[in-house]
Amino acid sequence: MAQLATQARGLALSLRRHRRQVSFGGALDFPGRMFAAMPLAGEEATNTYSLLILGKPGGGKGTISEKILSDFPQFRHVSTGDELRQHVRNQTEIGREAKTYMDVGGLVPDKLMVKLVMNDAVDAIKRGQNLLLDGFPRTAAQARALDDKLGVDLCINLCVPDETIVERISDRWIHPASGRVYSYSYKPPKVEGLDDETGDPLVQRDDDKPESVLKRLKKYEEATMPLVDYYSKKGVLQTFQGTMSDVIYPEVKKWLDEKLDEDCAT
């Protein structure tokens, strides 16, 4: 039954009759909202689907994204932070250009970030996948720039109380050499303050200290919260409130199932 449900969701996505129409055979710098990629053998134009997930730092975007990808495998997770670091490591054209800004502590320009997303979007479409966007856009200006190339069909907004996030993140300690992460609330070390495997002392990153977390949350409110209003006005946003991902996600899944079923029926 689970396999049939997954196949049905995949069919729902492939039968979409609105929004974007993918046009194969072009280049990355294409007009309007048309994707373009080199066609596969016997491939014809098809519709695509993009899903954006919004949420505060430490608000559970990563956990919810993993659950979505498990239940909706036709989506490809495009985490711009991960993708950007990979491009820098691989010294691609995008990576080299981005590194010139990162080396001096500057922000990567919106135009380059859009190019990064579109580069990975084309790759996903070639593989018959749809997009789960995570980490971009971060501002309304970035959203408008992205809309010139790629629209957002659905937007999930995770609303977790600040006090929960501060408690969750400030409870996190790491082993610097390996990157192993511990949390005293749900994944404590066997011996307090020491790494399970090496016995080395654990440390708390400056970014994980309560005062730093509050600053990050304030920056999010100023820069990213306008996106909630932006996508709400477009009629594609749904907000999910709670303090635990395991409680929030069933509601997210129910909403996505309903939306994909609606698309299949149109």
Side-chain angles (χ1 to χ4, degrees):
M1 292 297 291
Q3 184 177 5
L4 290 175
T6 298
Q7 292 174 347
R9 285 193 291 267
L11 179 61
L13 295 177
S14 67
L15 291 177
R16 288 176 54 83
R17 299 172 183 172
H18 60 290
R19 297 293 178 114
R20 295 175 306 282
Q21 184 74 15
V22 178
S23 176
F24 293 99
L28 271 176
D29 189 16
F30 35 81
R33 291 170 58 171
M34 302 290 285
F35 280 126
M38 295 302 292
L40 302 177
E43 190 171 32
E44 297 180 356
T46 184
N47 290 322
T48 63
Y49 201 99
S50 61
L51 170 65
L52 170 65
I53 184 165
L54 297 176
K56 302 171 186 176
K61 292 196 303 296
T63 301
I64 296 295
S65 293
E66 289 179 2
K67 292 178 181 294
I68 290 174
L69 294 171
S70 176
D71 287 331
F72 302 87
Q74 59 271 59
F75 282 93
R76 170 172 170 173
H77 188 205
V78 179
S79 173
T80 51
D82 293 343
E83 299 287 346
L84 185 59
R85 286 186 287 272
Q86 182 175 344
H87 276 279
V88 172
R89 284 195 301 269
N90 295 339
Q91 298 186 9
T92 65
E93 179 183 350
I94 292 175
R96 290 194 298 272
E97 185 177 352
K99 193 172 185 297
T100 62
Y101 298 95
M102 297 165 66
D103 284 347
V104 296
L107 296 176
V108 178
D110 293 348
K111 183 177 180 180
L112 184 58
M113 292 301 296
V114 171
K115 185 177 180 181
L116 170 69
V117 172
M118 295 310 301
N119 182 79
D120 293 308
V122 167
D123 183 62
I125 291 165
K126 287 165 62 176
R127 299 173 185 273
Q129 298 168 323
N130 299 274
L131 307 175
L132 171 57
L133 300 175
D134 178 2
F136 188 89
R138 291 182 181 272
T139 67
Q142 291 177 355
R144 289 190 291 269
L146 187 62
D147 272 348
D148 289 339
K149 303 293 184 182
L150 166 67
V152 170
D153 296 288
L154 293 173
C155 180
I156 294 170
N157 177 43
L158 303 178
C159 185
V160 178
D162 286 357
E163 55 268 26
T164 299
I165 293 176
V166 171
E167 181 180 354
R168 180 183 297 168
I169 296 180
S170 60
D171 194 39
R172 188 163 59 192
W173 292 72
I174 67 168
H175 177 240
S178 67
R180 281 186 287 274
V181 179
Y182 299 87
S183 171
Y184 284 98
S185 59
Y186 66 90
K187 188 185 175 184
K190 296 176 182 176
V191 178
E192 184 175 353
L194 301 179
D195 177 57
D196 287 351
E197 297 188 19
T198 66
D200 293 340
L202 301 176
V203 302
Q204 186 176 49
R205 300 187 311 168
D206 287 340
D207 281 352
D208 291 343
K209 294 179 180 178
E211 57 273 20
S212 297
V213 176
L214 287 171
K215 290 179 181 179
R216 290 164 60 191
L217 291 174
K218 183 178 179 180
K219 287 183 178 179
Y220 177 86
E221 292 285 343
E222 295 173 349
T224 310
M225 281 302 289
L227 283 178
V228 173
D229 185 55
Y230 181 83
Y231 287 113
S232 179
K233 289 180 178 178
K234 286 179 172 289
V236 299
L237 179 137
Q238 182 69 26
T239 295
F240 299 90
Q241 298 182 335
T243 59
M244 299 177 62
S245 297
D246 287 345
V247 176
I248 294 174
Y249 180 67
E251 294 301 317
V252 172
K253 183 178 184 299
K254 178 182 177 182
W255 182 69
L256 284 176
D257 278 329
E258 290 173 352
K259 289 299 180 182
L260 298 185
D261 286 344
E262 288 175 8
D263 286 333
C264 189
T266 58

